[in-house]
């Protein structure tokens, strides 16, 4: 996967309204990309719920979080609404997994590996973390350590 | 930190254990709450309970040390449980722990989007603690997780003989909310990611990790 010091790759994801979200959107802000395997799956639910609980702290640190999965936009929106979370979701549905592959976090099983990537305002990767296995949930403390 | 009342969650004299370890002895008062007579909690070898820095940030830190404001009961090896009252796995763990000779410190870890009633229930337990009834309320909350709405909380307070008006005011108070939040943030810093999260023997056991019970039962 991408590592600290590398420029973030070119990619194109879809926002909830279908508009593209690209590398250009990373510039000028500190971004935390939260790659997760599947909307509605148990560990992903716990992960996004936990991070959302401390969203104000991320904001206070100047960081903006995005959830990234290969689910369709409609599925992500339903997931977000069901949980009642504020973290914006970005879809890597079509072409499936292309952005995940660009970041080096595409699992052979056809979904994003559980991974975290922090990109600085200059578009360079500041920190990245890949869970040993998809069922491992990285604590929010790890992200704060890296910010 | 709750400061709105003089009722301690636990309190009393401290005494050191040989080898520098600390432990807490819990007694049960007339209301059924186990409080007070604080002997410090065990442990250098059991857990890295060093005092963390301020909770103004959420970077990694050891779990906060067990102190006078914590709720602790039982005797035996210490396990610090981060849980919530809407979590069925926490209730199951509670039952299993009660069957073991362990000392349990319970801390709140409510995540609202997963369990919307976990926060009000945690505040209810803390408000009950202000009237000396943390553990009775704790047990009643875990004993019927399908009934955690406000009227159910009031009914529990009434059943325990609490001053219900005071209970209701205090469970909504800034002090109680802050106490629950402080425990949650301490858990986040220590790496708790889901409930139940339990520290025993210097290790965090997340979720339904069977190794926790194997260790404590061993």
């Amino acid at each position: 996967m991408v590592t600290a010091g590398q420029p973030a790759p070119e990619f194109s994801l879809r926002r909830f309204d279908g508009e593209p979200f690209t590398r250009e959107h990373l510039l000028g802000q500190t971004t935390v990309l939260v790659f997760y395997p599947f909307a509605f799956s148990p560990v992903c639910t716990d992960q996004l719920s936990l991070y959302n609980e401390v969203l104000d702290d991320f904001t206070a640190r100047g960081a903006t979080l995005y959830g990234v999965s290969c689910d369709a936009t409609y599925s992500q929106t339903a997931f977000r609404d069901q949980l009642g979370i504020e973290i914006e979701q970005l879809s890597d549905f079509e072409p499936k997994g292309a952005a995940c592959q660009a970041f080096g976090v595409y699992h052979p099983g056809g979904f994003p590996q559980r991974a975290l990537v922090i990109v600085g305002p200059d578009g360079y990767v500041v920190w990245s973390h890949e869970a040993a296995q998809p069922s491992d949930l990285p604590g929010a403390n790890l992200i704060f350590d890296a910010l | 930190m709750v400061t709105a009342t003089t009722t301690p969650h636990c309190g009393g004299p401290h005494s050191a254990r040989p080898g520098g370890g600390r432990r807490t002895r819990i007694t049960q008062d007339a209301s059924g709450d186990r409080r007070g007579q604080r002997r410090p909690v065990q442990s250098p070898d059991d857990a890295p309970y060093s005092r963390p820095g301020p909770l103004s940030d959420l970077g990694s830190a050891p779990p906060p040390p067990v102190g006078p404001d914590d709720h602790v009961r039982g005797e035996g090896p210490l396990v610090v449980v981060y849980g919530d009252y809407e979590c069925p796995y926490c209730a199951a763990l509670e039952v299993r722990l009660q069957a073991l000779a362990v000392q349990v410190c319970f801390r709140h870890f409510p995540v609202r989007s997963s369990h919307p009633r976990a926060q009000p229930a945690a505040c209810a337990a803390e408000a009950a603690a202000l009237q000396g009834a943390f553990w009775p309320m704790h047990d009643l909350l875990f004993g019927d997780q399908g009934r955690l709405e406000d009227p159910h909380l009031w009914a529990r307070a009434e059943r325990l003989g609490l001053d219900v008006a005071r209970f209701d005011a205090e469970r909504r108070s800034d002090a109680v909310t802050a106490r629950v939040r402080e425990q949650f943030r301490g858990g986040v810093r220590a790496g708790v990611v889901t409930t139940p999260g339990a520290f025993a023997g210097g290790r965090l056991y997340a979720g339904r990790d069977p190794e926790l019970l194997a260790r404590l039962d061993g």
Side-chain angles (χ1 to χ4, degrees):
Chain A
M1 72 180 300
V2 294
T3 55
Q6 292 182 312
E10 296 292 338
F11 66 91
S12 182
L13 294 160
R14 292 287 165 186
R15 310 184 91 137
F16 68 98
D17 57 2
E19 291 298 309
F21 182 97
T22 66
R23 185 180 190 279
E24 187 177 333
H25 290 88
L26 303 178
L27 302 178
Q29 67 172 7
T30 297
T31 304
V32 181
L33 297 173
V34 181
F35 293 91
Y36 64 89
F38 300 109
F40 296 103
S41 64
V43 178
C44 302
T45 296
D46 286 347
Q47 183 179 25
L48 292 179
S49 297
L50 176 65
Y51 295 174
N52 194 76
E53 194 72 32
V54 292
L55 204 53
D56 288 347
D57 292 87
F58 284 120
T59 301
R61 296 290 293 270
T64 303
L65 266 69
Y66 296 93
V68 184
S69 74
C70 293
D71 300 294
T73 298
Y74 294 110
S75 303
Q76 289 187 329
T77 300
F79 183 44
R80 185 184 179 204
D81 289 349
Q82 188 204 45
L83 290 179
I85 61 173
E86 298 173 51
I87 299 170
E88 183 174 349
Q89 305 297 297
L90 301 172
S91 172
D92 198 16
F93 183 69
E94 182 60 37
K96 184 184 177 184
C100 293
Q101 291 183 40
F103 279 90
V105 298
Y106 194 64
H107 191 282
F111 54 85
Q113 171 62 286
R114 197 175 306 284
L116 302 164
V117 177
I118 298 179
V119 181
D122 59 358
Y124 279 73
V125 175
V126 174
W127 177 80
S128 64
H129 171 85
E130 182 173 344
Q133 50 192 347
S135 59
D136 288 348
L137 198 171
N141 56 315
L142 300 181
I143 305 175
F144 284 100
D145 287 344
L147 285 173
Chain B
M1 202 68 60
V2 174
T3 56
T5 177
T6 56
T7 304
H9 300 296
C10 300
H14 288 64
S15 63
R17 283 179 74 197
R22 303 190 307 156
R23 60 195 295 266
T24 300
R25 179 180 184 182
I26 303 302
T27 58
Q28 192 158 4
D29 67 12
S31 69
D33 195 11
R34 290 163 179 245
R35 295 189 293 140
Q37 309 233 346
R38 170 149 297 278
R39 282 179 277 154
V41 176
Q42 49 181 304
S43 124
D45 55 340
D46 267 0
Y49 295 107
S50 61
R51 189 164 293 281
L55 294 177
S56 56
D57 71 70
L58 291 174
S60 298
V66 178
D69 288 332
D70 273 308
H71 306 293
V72 185
R73 68 176 172 183
E75 294 287 347
L78 175 68
V79 54
V80 178
V81 176
Y82 283 84
D84 83 63
Y85 294 114
E86 200 177 345
C87 163
Y89 303 118
C90 296
L93 177 63
E94 180 75 15
V95 171
R96 299 294 299 274
L97 290 178
Q98 286 191 20
L100 299 175
V102 294
Q103 185 179 57
V104 175
C105 170
F106 185 85
R107 290 172 175 167
H108 306 291
F109 199 79
V111 176
R112 283 168 281 198
S113 55
S114 295
H115 294 141
R117 292 303 296 175
Q119 174 78 16
C123 290
E126 289 304 321
L130 295 174
Q131 296 187 52
F134 174 81
W135 289 110
M137 178 62 79
H138 170 93
D139 292 338
L140 288 179
L141 291 167
F142 270 139
D144 190 358
Q145 294 182 298
R147 293 181 175 80
L148 295 176
E149 298 300 322
D150 285 356
H152 305 132
L153 303 179
W154 301 328
R156 284 180 174 90
E158 190 171 6
R159 179 175 163 187
L160 292 174
L162 305 184
D163 178 334
V164 179
R166 176 186 165 193
F167 164 80
D168 199 48
E170 289 181 333
R171 79 184 180 89
R172 301 171 191 273
S173 69
D174 290 344
V176 161
T177 301
R179 172 168 171 71
V180 171
R181 191 68 181 167
E182 177 187 313
Q183 293 192 359
F184 171 80
R185 292 173 70 83
V188 170
R189 296 189 71 186
V192 176
V193 292
T194 188
T195 56
F199 289 91
R203 182 189 151 186
L204 170 61
Y205 297 84
R208 293 170 286 167
D209 189 337
E211 290 184 28
L212 170 65
L213 292 170
R215 174 190 174 86
L216 295 174
D217 204 13

